[in-house]
Amino acid sequence: MISERDSETTFEEDSQPNDEVVPYSDDETEDELDGRQPGAEPGPNQTSRDTQESRDPGKKDCSWQVKANDQRFYDQPGFKRTIFLCFKKSKYSGNAIKTYKYNPITFLPLNLLEQFKRAANFYFLVLLILQCIPQITTLSWYTTLVPLLLVLGITAVKDLVDDIVGATFCSYEQHTPPSVAHVSCCDTEQGEHSLLWFQARHRMDNEVNNRTCDVIKDGRFKATKWKDIKVGDIIRLKKNTFVPADILLLSSSEPNSLCYVETAELDGETNLKFKMALEVTHRHLQEESALADFDGLIECEEPNNRLDKFTGTLSWRNSNYPLDADKILLRGCKIRNTDFCHGMVIFAGADTKIMKNSGKTRFKRTKIDSLMNYMVYTIIVVLILLSAGLAIGHTYWEQQIGNSSWYLYDAQDWSPAYRGFLNFWGYIIVLNTMVPISLYVSVEVIRFGQSYFINWDLQMYYPEKDTAAKARTTTLNEQLGQIQYIFSDKTGTLTQNIMTFKKCCINGQRYGQLNYQAASPDEGALVTAARNFGYVFLSRTQNTITISEMGVERTYDVLAILDFNSDRKRMSVIVRESGGNIRLYCKGADTVIFERLHPRNLKREATEEALDVFANETLRTLCLCYRDISQDEFDVWNKKFMEASLATSHRDEALDKVYEEIENNLILLGATAIEDKLQDGVPETISRLSKADIKIWVLTGDKKVSPSLSSALLQTRLENQRNSAGSSPNSSLKMNEPFFQGSRDRALIITGSWLNEILQEKKKKKKKLKLKFPRTAEEKKKQMEKRIRAEAYKEQQQKNFVDLACECRAVICCRVTPKQKAMVVELVKKYKKAITLAIGDGANDVNMIKTAHIGVGISGQEGMQAVMSSDYSFGQFRYLQRLLLVHGRWSYIRMCKFLRYFFYKNFAFTLVHIWYSFFSGFSAQAAYEDWFITLYNVLYSSLPVLLVGLLDQDVSDKLSLRFPRLYVLGQRDLLFNYKKFFLSLLHGAVTSLIIFFIPYGAYLKSMGQDGEAPADYQSFAVTAASSLIFVVNFQAIFGSIALYFGITFDFHSAGIHVLFPSAFRFTGTAPNALRQPYLWLTMILSIAICLLPVVAQRFLSMTVWPSESDKIQRNRQKYLLEEQQWKRRQSAFRRGVSARRSAYAFSHQRGYADLIASGRSIRKRRAPLDAVLASSGPASGDTRDTS
């Protein structure tokens, strides 16, 4: 038993989950997010660090000091940092920026250094060095140099273009171009097409750095270049100009010093936002002389990448004023609808938030990438073993034959063992083509082309917003064909995010079917509906709000705004009415409002009933309430509020605590209900994806999505799971059997609070004063064992939840925070090892998008944060089916065929050397001409393999959408795995045997037409090489055959031998050998024997053992005819009927949980194409319940 003294904190857990309790705060920076995984416990180092920070909070939160109009202030020793040894420089960055990576001098050395950090490139560099040692190599140095230079050159060009135009390319050390393109005002297209390629990015940087704005110098505003702006400067900006640094807004030309800015370069949002200066600076800092005399001191947070957060304090004239993000203009913003404004520079250059967001991103690697790397490692091991075996063979041969053959004496008295050692390295060089040097470059080229196919797809273009599909990365295309779980936001992703004010409850009375619509989300809908009822918002200053109430204009003094965040789930405002009364108005989620109501709220029960009705119709609900506050109570509270507003550390926590003190004993006014309709095509998309065996989970912050399965599922199965798994840790650890029996489709609906309860997330701690006593060793051991048991139990609970949820056809998580969304995704990745995709449209979906294997952003009403953090983006949810079922599936099939073919052709090419070794004394002699070895992967076999990877299709895009079950190939890894790899190795080995031994047997005892024996080494090499080229190309595309013969005849000509006699030794071999009919018959026999099994296998797979795609391809004409007949029926049936797009929304029927689970379509007027054309099984329009 653990005594009370063992802990300084206690947990107060409720018997029922509370939606207010969240596992962690949603106010962490991206850097902090990258450093921790959802659900992870802090380690001892983290705990000690937190303790240290709590003792010295100012060190973390407000250690950045900025003094206005005083550059000598920054020369203090405390503001210097050591850069090297005793050399120091100011910690405050200058305002000049550098976005380029290379310049004409550093490009070559830096790029080569980066490329040789890759293991494959470094491996071939070592081989090149070994080939320069004559005692080892039997191959010319150029056989490795030419392919290596080609690979390095292609990659260098890619990196160079990336540096010039900032495009997103595939890279194994991927850098994200600034997500906030502060140089976007430059002509990007001009940079892309400029011949002065080294100067393009430099020119953009110079243009930005040399822009001018007015800066106070010597008491007057003077035009100053951006690069000369310093921290603490007072600047003046004019309308339609960009903000050069992160500045504190001091005053503006607008009333109350409002300033309107466009933040499209920061977050992609084109709608204007307003910033407002402090009242004291608005009042006193309008004139130039006052600005020149301004000597305020700002203490604020260190530079960071949080665009929406800022904490600081302005000290001026013996008073302190709190600063937040609403008073800060960030670099990259553009001044709009404001003639001029004044500001004080806080962060400059590399310290600005826009530049802090331009670092590295977490690199996502595909499943095939990892498998491919392991296969390359396997090849290297095989290469070493083969080389060692052949070296041993050479040692034995030297002992038995070499030493006794006088004509083989080379004037070197080396022992057989030493010769075998040298031959080991010789075979490493000869067999190096087993390790594919061009593999990674070829993969990048294929992915790059596939990305452009996505970008060019007009069927994924959304004309209403002029938004095309965009592949924002080129590294993940084939993984789109392996998705098993989709995690989707609801609002703005599945719905239009165009809110309609539908119903409300006022004083317990429900009013419905209001048709007042606004084009913006919730706030716009509420304000517009209020206007239509006669309550019109007119204007606002720093301290007042003016409203027209049924034609009567009233002005309210704003005393305090208690802002919204995801922890509070509410927002309040305290105003003074014209009569002097002070009142607090609050709106928020019902769970948090009801907990803070006065005990005597007569209309609470009626409002709760109304909320249940609204929620069952899946409307978005809010509760409204108020409270009258006395002047004395407000004065006491306001003092605490001001102290919390000026806190230098943990300001948000301090404010939340103060807010709690005033937001209580509220009087309920009523509730609102807003409708958000589904986007077009969502039911059909969900149906198709479900048929592709993709499980869809909806993660939303709304209260309820569908009540249809709540009582049947949550009250029985989930409750049983909680009781059985929560009864004791031991019982939970033994649960391995399935949660459900039978094959019925089920859906799981769970709230964020239940999610915390089930997953054993840490509750918020309430600190209590306790005396500390030293613990004994036994107590420490018991405490450690307890923690280990608790961690094991928690992990098992998480696994149980994932197992339970994954047995359901659909999962809906309501009332979840952004961090909980990411946590759910991480849990599925961790325990199911499944490929996941997350799709969302808002900033609250960014964590989920970054956590999933594939992140998809939708260009919606909530800005571009999700798009800018995503891997792929488009305008509507319905395009997801084409991205996965068409492009994803094609990319996966193409990549798998490419890899199998690539490994096969390399094995077929390289293993010939091994068979030749048995007839050359294991001397590491190459079986081919050096130039054939050099160009085989670069030219002779590159075109077929690239075309397979770019253009291969098994069925058309229409058939891919019509038959979603074709998608399961990628989910099950059926087309590329270790089994397929070893089959490719075996196929290549058999091909190499045929390529070698048939010519060898044919030339063993033969004579040509002219009486000369064609069985010389050079003729044999040409025969084997020509046979290999025919075999490899006949299995793909014939494009490289003509290229091979053209280059071979040139390289075997007498003219090139005269110019380079040591490099081109096969003089006249190809013309002489290829005019022999005997040689052509030998080649035909070799090719026929190699291709016969391939043709037979393909014939049998098409006729006897056809795959699903083979069956569909065989009947494609029939499906095309049926589709044409269906279209004629459609036009006939719809004659005279007005076109009507789907008006289905969550509120119209039972909701979409059942829809996802059953794959049904709600619309019944006309059966869909699948129902008309399907030859067997229920179609997508079947309305029968499968549950």
Side-chain angles (χ1 to χ4, degrees), residues 559-561 637-645 655 658-659:
L559 303 180
I561 296 177
W637 179 86
N638 190 52
K639 183 179 179 180
K640 298 179 180 178
F641 173 66
M642 294 305 298
E643 291 176 355
S645 299
L655 285 172
V658 174
Y659 294 163

Side-chain angles (χ1 to χ4, degrees), residues 271-330:
N271 57 308
L272 297 185
K273 299 180 177 64
F274 73 88
K275 304 288 184 177
M276 185 181 294
L278 289 168
E279 184 180 7
V280 64
T281 59
H282 157 69
R283 208 166 47 238
H284 298 290
L285 297 179
Q286 294 287 350
E287 301 299 328
E288 182 181 63
S289 58
L291 290 165
D293 294 336
F294 178 57
D295 61 350
L297 175 67
I298 294 176
E299 294 183 273
C300 64
E301 62 193 12
E302 292 281 335
N304 58 70
N305 63 351
R306 286 303 299 262
L307 298 175
D308 58 341
K309 292 288 180 182
F310 181 82
T311 301
T313 303
L314 170 63
S315 301
W316 187 42
R317 295 181 175 178
N318 299 320
S319 298
N320 295 328
Y321 305 93
L323 304 177
D324 55 29
D326 292 334
K327 300 172 181 62
I328 304 298
L329 303 183
L330 300 182

